[in-house]
Amino acid sequence: MSLVAMTSCDMDAPSISALDGSTVYSTYSLAESEIMSIHVSFGETNSYRGRFLPYYGVNTDVEVGNSPDITKAGDDDKNDLWNYNTTPSNKQMNTNTNAYAKFYEGIERANLAIEGIRQYGDIENKPDMAQLLGEALTLRAVVYNDLIKAWGDVPARFVPNGPENIYLPRTSRDSIYKVLLADLKEAEDYCYWPNESKITQSTERVSKAFVKGLRARIALYAGGYGLRGDGYRRSNDPELAPSLMYQIAKEECLDIINQGCNKLGEFKDNFVKLCEDNVTAGDESLWEIPFSEGRGRVLYTWGVKHQAKDQYTQQSQGGVNGPIAYLWYDYDPDDIRRDITCVPYEWSSDLSAGKAHVQLRAQNKWCFGKLRYEWMKRIVTSTNDDGVNWQYMRLADVYLMAAEAINELDGPSAAWQYLKPVLNRALPAAKVSALQSKYTASKTAFFNGIVDQRALEFAGEALRKADLIRWGIIDEKMAEAKTKLQDLQQRKGQYAGYPDKVYINNAEDKDLIEIYGLDLGEDDSDKIKELKDAGWDSKNWFESTSGYVLTDAYIDGLYTVTPSTHCLWPIWKEFITTSNGYLNNDGIYGQLSD
């Protein structure tokens, strides 16, 4: 796996910097290296690698930064990136090398490649050069989509930088969305399906399946709700009407599904393969942000916590972000996604012959388990980077986008066949059948089913925040989250009767981890004596000597202001100051201080 993968070339060839565009963009190997340079911008220290992927997407009703804390509001820049009250001078972000800057660096590299390949690439006669043009258009769309998710209306730069566009104001996201949808439609004609070419044998390269999937995702965002200068609403542009956007999503997703180049497989296998650096195309993964072994904080942020350098890693990291405290309880006990997604343990700091054992964390510090150092085939030796790719889109998302769009256009009965494959691999057949009856009762019931299943399917993949925003339900769901946390804290309502103690078996083997006490009824005194005699560790799960484990500070720290009116980050002060007066945070951000 490599961040920049270039074909070999003559060692005596001149450097790219010494060549003009007519040479670079007419020679496949040189043009490919320019496409790979866009990937470099993803891996820069404060770009996707160290700022966007760790911080965007939390807090939601399924994901939190471990742990939210109201007592740190205004004093902890990490918490303030999560709690919907981010200021333009946030110390994690207010630098000229952070994600906002690096996103535009990637866009500039894409703009140069697009212009050069259009002019010199002879794409009508060279399909591999056309593939490169499709990749550049798609990577630019990836970055712009994430810019809009995080910052809303942003400057639109679709040509290389020059004297006439050094300074630009914010541009309506509607106009940007329309360019992206058109670009991706064009890119579909250029890109190969997975495994149709040697180029698309890897999930690190853009394929037609990903282009179509990204176009579907952007269409759903464009037709959904968003925070704008005059409020939280949908677009007023008739070209972005929800029915038109649902039609795009439906057509693109069905093309991917019917083409059959990718398959779902087993839920766990997708994540094991990701951790193993297996980038072979054709399974569930449609596209991954590629990180080299020395770059990327994917497991560092989203993986199971390791307190020490142990038998699985030479990096004591993981567990930065985790499931919200009640998420494990939201799953059906028979749902195989539950124990893969939500992990209540970590690997210990005390070692025996270099080996750690598992130990319970706390109710307010769950780990996501989709990404695990113990599933890797190599030892991580970097202090801060693990080199595991970020899976940007997988086939389950395509199925659920198709189900959502078809429900809106054609009704729940037609949509069910696209939700069913995702549920079939997660639940027993009888429970899938019961959900079919529940979800297909009405269009509203099916939509609510999509809301629930996207939570359970994609928790820990940073899709939820954008989903809640585009559906227009972020305030409702975040308020519901606080109510559920309060009930869980006191073991009342749906959480009544859960055991107070949880037990774990101290395993040093990743395949022998056993836990008792998380499910209802797991408080049998004879069983507990047996576990104690066998040396299992235990922990008070709901209450400790100092009070509730799930504190009021955790619950109140989930969000500190109305999420829908604060669901964007402000443009950082650094860029406002140097914009020659073109940029500001007026309107949406006017209430935020420096």
Side-chain angles (χ1 to χ4, degrees):
M1 181 176 63
S2 79
L3 180 63
V4 179
M6 294 186 290
T7 56
S8 61
C9 57
D10 191 329
M11 293 296 291
D12 296 326
S15 67
I16 292 176
S17 62
L19 301 174
D20 62 22
S22 62
T23 301
V24 171
Y25 295 111
S26 63
T27 306
Y28 178 83
S29 61
L30 298 180
E32 184 185 45
S33 71
E34 295 301 287
I35 301 303
M36 296 302 102
S37 76
I38 304 169
H39 290 171
V40 173
S41 294
F42 287 94
E44 297 276 8
T45 297
N46 293 328
S47 183
Y48 280 86
R49 172 252 179 207
R51 289 297 182 268
F52 189 75
L53 295 180
Y55 296 126
Y56 184 82
V58 290
N59 294 343
T60 70
D61 61 339
V62 299
E63 297 145 330
V64 294
N66 267 335
S67 290
D69 190 340
I70 189 64
T71 65
K72 296 180 179 179
D75 297 320
D76 183 321
D77 289 292
K78 293 181 180 180
N79 263 275
D80 290 345
L81 285 171
W82 303 329
N83 67 16
Y84 299 87
N85 202 16
T86 313
T87 63
S89 57
N90 182 279
K91 292 183 178 62
Q92 290 290 323
M93 291 289 195
N94 187 34
T95 68
N96 61 13
T97 61
N98 77 70
Y100 183 87
K102 291 301 175 182
F103 282 15
Y104 276 106
E105 175 187 274
I107 287 169
E108 174 66 7
R109 289 171 174 173
N111 287 340
L112 289 167
I114 291 165
E115 181 180 83
I117 296 172
R118 286 196 193 282
Q119 186 171 359
Y120 302 113
D122 191 18
I123 61 173
E124 295 82 4
N125 300 305
K126 296 180 179 179
D128 286 0
M129 294 296 287
Q131 163 72 29
L132 294 182
L133 176 56
E135 289 192 67
L137 289 166
T138 304
L139 294 175
R140 185 173 69 180
V142 166
V143 178
Y144 262 120
N145 183 49
D146 288 335
L147 270 170
I148 292 170
K149 280 166 50 181
W151 288 280
D153 296 341
V154 293
R157 296 182 177 276
F158 288 105
V159 296
N161 293 339
E164 71 287 349
N165 66 345
I166 292 176
Y167 301 109
L168 292 175
R170 289 179 179 270
T171 304
S172 166
R173 75 197 70 177
D174 291 348
S175 63
I176 298 175
Y177 276 140
K178 288 191 283 189
V179 172
L180 302 185
L181 291 170
D183 282 351
L184 292 171
K185 187 65 176 174
E186 179 185 1
E188 291 176 9
D189 294 333
Y190 302 147
C191 291
Y192 298 111
W193 286 102
N195 292 311
E196 185 183 358
S197 160
K198 287 184 178 179
I199 300 171
T200 55
Q201 290 177 346
S202 168
T203 56
E204 295 182 335
R205 296 297 292 269
V206 169
S207 70
K208 192 189 295 284
F210 175 60
V211 176
K212 286 178 169 289
L214 181 62
R215 190 164 186 260
R217 180 181 287 179
I218 289 176
L220 292 178
Y221 290 159
Y225 287 82
L227 179 58
R228 300 167 183 270
D230 60 351
Y232 178 61
R233 60 170 177 81
R234 288 186 173 182
S235 170
N236 294 324
D237 190 326
E239 294 181 39
L240 300 178
S243 60
L244 298 178
M245 297 300 98
Y246 280 127
Q247 186 63 35
I248 289 175
K250 171 186 173 179
E251 292 173 358
E252 298 292 14
C253 291
L254 291 187
D255 281 353
I256 299 167
I257 293 167
N258 293 334
Q259 182 67 22
C261 287
N262 296 87
K263 57 183 182 294
L264 280 177
E266 297 296 323
F267 183 77
K268 178 181 176 181
D269 290 350
N270 171 71
F271 301 103
V272 172
K273 181 178 177 181
L274 185 63
C275 292
E276 290 177 343
D277 302 332
N278 185 337
V279 297
T280 304
D283 290 327
E284 185 164 353
S285 186
L286 267 64
W287 183 68
E288 300 164 12
I289 294 178
F291 290 117
S292 66
E293 289 190 9
R295 301 303 291 168
R297 287 182 164 189
V298 174
L299 268 66
Y300 177 106
T301 305
W302 296 92
V304 176
K305 174 67 177 175
H306 288 245
Q307 291 283 1
K309 299 175 181 180
D310 57 31
Q311 66 267 42
Y312 301 116
T313 179
Q314 292 302 298
Q315 181 182 90
S316 53
Q317 290 298 349
V320 175
N321 296 337
I324 198 166
Y326 60 71
L327 181 62
W328 189 90
Y329 302 90
D330 280 357
Y331 286 92
D332 185 290
D334 291 328
D335 192 328
I336 63 96
R337 296 173 297 188
R338 183 188 70 171
D339 293 350
I340 295 168
T341 303
C342 302
V343 171
Y345 61 80
E346 63 188 11
W347 292 87
S348 66
S349 59
D350 54 306
L351 304 179
S352 175
K355 293 184 177 182
H357 63 269
V358 290
Q359 60 188 23
L360 290 165
R361 293 200 100 190
Q363 190 186 60
N364 61 347
K365 289 188 177 180
W366 286 77
C367 291
F368 283 117
K370 289 177 175 177
L371 300 170
R372 310 186 188 195
Y373 292 95
E374 49 269 36
W375 286 345
M376 296 180 70
K377 288 187 172 180
R378 57 181 168 83
I379 296 291
V380 174
T381 56
S382 169
T383 302
N384 293 325
D385 295 80
D386 49 76
V388 171
N389 286 350
W390 178 259
Q391 191 169 68
Y392 198 87
M393 182 176 289
R394 57 187 177 93
L395 189 60
D397 194 7
V398 173
Y399 273 97
L400 292 182
M401 287 192 293
E404 179 182 346
I406 292 169
N407 176 57
E408 296 295 331
L409 297 171
D410 308 315
S413 296
W416 171 252
Q417 65 177 302
Y418 301 101
L419 177 55
K420 187 174 187 289
V422 175
L423 297 180
N424 278 345
R425 69 175 184 180
L427 291 161
K431 293 190 173 182
V432 174
S433 180
L435 288 177
Q436 179 179 4
S437 298
K438 177 182 178 181
Y439 292 162
T440 58
S442 69
K443 184 179 287 189
T444 299
F446 196 92
F447 170 76
N448 291 335
I450 288 291
V451 171
D452 290 346
Q453 291 304 323
R454 285 188 69 87
L456 301 175
E457 181 72 23
F458 300 119
E461 299 178 53
L463 294 176
R464 188 63 170 179
K465 183 176 181 180
D467 279 345
L468 294 178
I469 292 168
R470 70 178 176 88
W471 286 327
I473 61 173
I474 188 167
D475 292 343
E476 169 192 336
K477 282 295 182 180
M478 295 302 286
E480 179 184 299
K482 280 195 175 180
T483 298
K484 290 169 70 174
L485 289 171
Q486 289 162 351
D487 287 349
L488 179 65
Q489 179 194 61
Q490 299 172 45
R491 276 184 290 175
K492 65 182 184 181
Q494 63 183 307
Y495 308 110
Y498 278 93
D500 182 53
K501 279 188 178 291
V502 175
Y503 299 81
I504 195 167
N505 73 346
N506 281 318
E508 292 181 5
D509 189 323
K510 62 185 177 182
D511 296 321
L512 295 177
I513 298 168
E514 299 172 278
I515 300 169
Y516 183 82
L518 282 173
D519 277 317
L520 282 170
E522 290 189 339
D523 52 4
D524 180 84
S525 58
D526 291 336
K527 177 68 174 178
I528 290 171
K529 183 179 184 305
E530 176 187 329
L531 299 181
K532 287 181 176 179
D533 290 345
W536 285 37
D537 282 342
S538 66
K539 192 165 192 172
N540 290 331
W541 202 244
F542 286 89
E543 295 185 55
S544 68
T545 55
S546 58
Y548 292 123
V549 173
L550 189 57
T551 63
D552 290 342
Y554 177 108
I555 297 170
D556 293 335
L558 188 62
Y559 61 92
T560 60
V561 290
T562 304
S564 66
T565 61
H566 292 70
C567 58
L568 296 172
W569 284 335
I571 292 179
W572 315 118
K573 187 176 181 181
E574 171 77 24
F575 302 102
I576 301 293
T577 302
T578 59
S579 71
N580 201 27
Y582 277 77
L583 294 178
N584 58 59
N585 286 315
D586 291 349
I588 297 174
Y589 309 106
Q591 74 281 10
L592 297 178
S593 64
D594 289 339

